[in-house]
Amino acid sequence: MAQSVSDFIIDRLIEWDLHQWYGYPGDGIGGFDGALGRAQKDGKDFTYIRPTHEEEAAFMACAHAKFTGEVGVCIATSGPGAVHLMNGLYDAYSDNAPVVAIVGQQARVALGTEFQQEINLEQAMSDVAVFVQTVTTPMHAQFVLDKAIRMAKAYRGPAVVILPVDVQTMDMEEPAQEHFVSRSGIGHASDRLRPDDETLARAAKILNDGEKVAMLVGQGAIGATDEVLEVAERLGAGVATSLLGKQVVPGDVPYHTQQLGLLGSRPSYDMMQKCDTLLLVGTNFPYAEFLPATGQARAVQIDISPRHLGIRYPTEENIWGDARTTLRALLPYLEPHDTGWQEQIAAEKREWDAENVRVASTKADPINPRYIYLSLNEKLPENAIFTADAGSTADWYGFHIELGRNNMGSLSGRLASMLAAMPYALAGKFAHPDRPVVCTIGDGAFQMMGANGLLTVKRHWRDWKNPSFVVLVINNGDLNQVSWEMREAGDPRWDTAQLVEGMDYAGYAELLGLKGIRVDAPDQVDAAWDEAFAADRPVVVDVRCDANVPPLPAHIDLEQATGLAKSLLGGDPATRQVVTHGTRAMAARLFARMGFRSDE
Ligand SMILES: Cc1ncc(C[n+]2csc(CCOP(=O)(O)OP(=O)(O)O)c2C)c(N)n1
Ligand SMILES: [Mg+2]
């Protein structure tokens, strides 16, 4: 049988060293699906996972890219399948993750005819895709696929290959050496970009002149942990990380103040307010109010994407380079600094840690969600992969989880999409089946797609080398993050929109043959983690949490406090509890700072 265009694409993906694909079938991608089935039978070197929704497939491809550094691959049918992919593709776009989507389309003759399941995919995808192209003939397939993979990697985003159904089954043709035809090859260019010496010397001069250097490190520095630490030590700097860059700096580094921003720490905030020099590494942190004032700090930025340089703070030196190579090249130029500033930051961080423990230990009804994370942080296996969702789990992850050198962690960052925690966790597991995975997700997001994700767990967990896959459901009966956002904006929470219908999450896990652990009281939390991590199968830990514990930032500004007061006066049904627990939490912060336990 001659090689079809679909057979060719499958072989070419493998030649590009891409072996983990996520997809969902349909007749618009039918010729490709048929080829996939044959290729699997022939033992070709790829794994095709079909989750229960195309959106999950796209998030899984994005997370695969994040957890491996490779290009993620997802596949969907034309029309509705393609549209379902889009949220995950936007996630890849937003977090600079390279993904290739292979999307079916109706036959070429049907384009623009309003045929069933025919939409203008090039137009629909054009906002999200770094490259989008329809394959028009067999000869065209090689170029389009090669360019898509190359563009995804080079521009760190989703590239979309649209494959009309009639082209899918045509015999492949080798691109000819003739007018109009491009013959393409395989392989990415190295992105180890070493800046020139003059640039490095200018940047070093700024950093050497600084007496209070703050570093803000993002996901662009993943893989550069040693270099980040060496530079920080040399400069006597404190280091804050973005949420996506959390894993770059191990939690036990004393001057790592963890995150900056609404779900960040006070020492991160204070460091930014007091520093005289700022070094941004691989981060596109957008929140101006948490960065130094204009003119307060001289700043240097390092980024692999030139479009991200100089756009968040008036940086003096913008260095186009990858974090690892650039920091390595910069080190010989850097002079040793006094460690007083760094020690001061470490002392503030220790205080913050103690305060956080106290705040997390305050009473709640029935369980303080912060305590769950505090305990989880203690029990987290050293090589676990951690995911959080867009709700309050993102706050608790920011406030209470410190990743170690061998941990990885991620979430839908800039897009901040609900439901991503589950496909992220699944992709983490498929990419690293020997590692424990912890998925933390709100009950709202669990009902959106987490429950479906568990069916994929049910289908595959027996194939995993290490079956440890722990799903924490924050069972608060509420779309809590938004309830708090509403309160801060001065609107009372309203049940019609905010209530999450209760269900038995642990029971659901048991129904699927997994393990379910129900936690109703604070004294069950620690033991629940021990049980979950010792289990011989995936586990759902269903914890009944208090929805009235505020995910308070380290600093509540006057506007937020006024909004909260207005919302409570406006008839928020939980006013009493919010006041009780909110006050308790605030009091805990104050008492903690003064060295008391709030419940003493
Ligand atoms: C796809 C999507 N829809 C809506 C939102 C807005 N949103 C952010 S958090 C949140 C509530 C999440 O509720 P839940 O998953 O129960 O988590 P909780 O905050 O209660 O822990 C909503 C509606 C979003 N970020 N993404
Ligand atoms: Mg909830």
Side-chain angles (χ1 to χ4, degrees), residues 55 87 389-393 395-396 415-419 441-446 448 474 476-483 485 498 500:
E55 183 169 350
N87 199 33
D389 210 77
S392 68
T393 58
D395 300 276
W396 312 138
L415 191 65
S417 176
M418 278 173 79
L419 73 72
I441 188 165
D443 44 8
F446 187 84
M448 228 182 209
I474 295 289
N476 54 19
D478 188 42
L479 299 176
N480 200 230
Q481 178 81 1
V482 170
S483 295
E485 285 164 356
Q498 298 306 112
V500 174

Side-chain angles (χ1 to χ4, degrees), residues 135-356:
V135 177
T136 54
T137 65
M139 241 192 237
H140 197 202
Q142 183 193 73
F143 178 86
V144 174
L145 182 69
D146 287 348
K147 180 155 183 192
I149 297 171
R150 193 162 274 132
M151 290 289 283
K153 182 93 173 166
Y155 289 87
R156 293 178 184 77
V160 180
V161 174
I162 300 170
L163 205 52
V165 77
D166 53 336
V167 178
Q168 290 166 24
T169 50
M170 286 177 172
D171 287 351
M172 183 58 190
E173 287 172 42
E174 179 80 19
Q177 185 194 2
E178 60 186 42
H179 194 63
F180 288 129
V181 179
S182 292
R183 292 154 296 151
S184 53
I186 280 178
H188 301 291
S190 164
D191 56 6
R192 304 253 160 87
L193 299 184
R194 189 190 185 283
D196 59 77
D197 292 312
E198 292 76 29
T199 305
L200 291 169
R202 281 197 308 272
K205 172 91 176 71
I206 296 169
L207 297 169
N208 287 336
D209 286 350
E211 287 174 6
K212 296 175 181 173
V213 183
M215 291 172 69
L216 179 57
V217 173
Q219 63 155 339
I222 289 176
T225 297
D226 290 336
E227 290 74 12
V228 166
L229 293 181
E230 219 176 312
V231 167
E233 301 275 340
R234 186 78 56 86
L235 296 174
V239 184
T241 47
S242 71
L243 204 54
L244 288 174
K246 198 185 213 4
Q247 74 186 61
V248 176
V249 183
D252 61 2
V253 170
Y255 52 84
H256 177 201
T257 56
Q258 294 289 335
Q259 276 68 78
L260 177 68
L262 279 180
L263 33 70
S265 73
R266 199 177 50 245
S268 295
Y269 181 83
D270 289 346
M271 174 168 70
M272 289 297 154
Q273 298 304 303
K274 291 187 286 199
C275 69
D276 62 16
T277 309
L278 177 64
L279 174 57
L280 299 160
V281 186
T283 175
N284 190 21
F285 183 85
Y287 302 106
E289 64 274 34
F290 290 95
L291 292 172
T294 309
Q296 172 199 323
R298 301 183 68 191
V300 173
Q301 185 174 5
I302 299 168
D303 208 288
I304 188 88
S305 293
R307 74 176 198 273
H308 290 150
L309 288 166
I311 63 169
R312 304 297 189 194
Y313 189 79
T315 43
E316 262 180 75
E317 202 57 57
N318 296 309
I319 311 184
W320 182 10
D322 70 292
R324 190 151 175 255
T325 313
T326 305
L327 292 175
R328 230 151 252 282
L330 188 60
L331 267 162
Y333 292 86
L334 299 181
E335 292 159 8
H337 281 53
D338 182 77
T339 54
W341 159 252
Q342 194 178 60
E343 281 162 17
Q344 186 189 325
I345 288 164
E348 286 175 23
K349 171 64 169 43
R350 280 193 298 276
E351 247 177 64
W352 169 256
D353 288 343
E355 183 179 326
N356 250 348

